Amino acid sequence: MTFSWKIPPWERFEDCKYVTVTLTDAGAGQFECISEAVRGDDAIEALADLVMSPRSPLGFISSHPALIGVVVRRGIDVAWLAKPPVEVGRNDRGKWQISIAEADLPDVSVFDVTEIAGLVSRLRSQYGQNG
């Protein structure tokens, strides 16, 4: 597996262009979120920066059984960093579903646990455990 970037986003010295919101199950039907700014030229690169950075809450995906998903938004928005307009609930089959209150935003991507684990696997196979 190869990636199209010349320098991986987590090794770049550039301004952050995206906000990520990591969502985890807090129990009792509640969720928690951690928002941070990340680097990258698209949503996949932003997610790669999140999961491969040493500060990442997702550095070891297998040790994060409470992970619900990650929302990636292009552009740095202080309101999103402080209180992202993300809604999480369970569908009729009990599976977590993520929605964005500002549904008309064009540059928002939602990644579920399967997509995140797949990307982490691809990144680790190419770059090793710590990038």
Side-chain angles (χ1 to χ4, degrees):
M1 165 56 49
T2 59
F3 293 93
S4 61
W5 54 63
K6 293 182 186 206
I7 300 172
W10 61 91
E11 293 179 352
R12 295 181 193 164
F13 294 102
E14 63 183 28
D15 290 339
C16 294
K17 299 177 189 172
Y18 285 83
V19 171
T20 59
V21 180
T22 302
L23 302 158
T24 56
D25 184 349
Q30 301 296 311
F31 71 95
E32 294 178 337
C33 61
I34 300 170
S35 301
E36 59 186 285
V38 294
R39 299 159 289 202
D41 293 329
D42 59 35
I44 298 289
E45 287 188 19
L47 183 58
D49 185 38
L50 176 70
V51 299
M52 294 298 283
S53 293
R55 70 186 187 287
S56 173
L58 301 177
F60 298 99
I61 197 80
S62 61
S63 67
H64 232 293
L67 180 65
I68 296 170
V70 173
V71 176
V72 178
R73 178 183 191 248
R74 181 167 179 72
I76 302 301
D77 184 326
V78 176
W80 266 68
L81 285 167
K83 187 170 176 15
V86 176
E87 298 171 4
V88 178
R90 293 197 185 261
N91 64 16
D92 56 353
R93 292 173 283 154
K95 183 178 178 186
W96 285 109
Q97 290 191 300
I98 302 167
S99 61
I100 312 304
E102 300 173 9
D104 61 338
L105 291 174
D107 292 325
V108 175
S109 301
V110 177
F111 296 94
D112 65 21
V113 174
T114 304
E115 293 167 316
I116 296 165
L119 178 63
V120 169
S121 176
R122 290 173 40 210
L123 289 165
R124 286 186 179 162
S125 102
Q126 177 143 352
Y127 296 101
Q129 189 73 5
N130 298 322

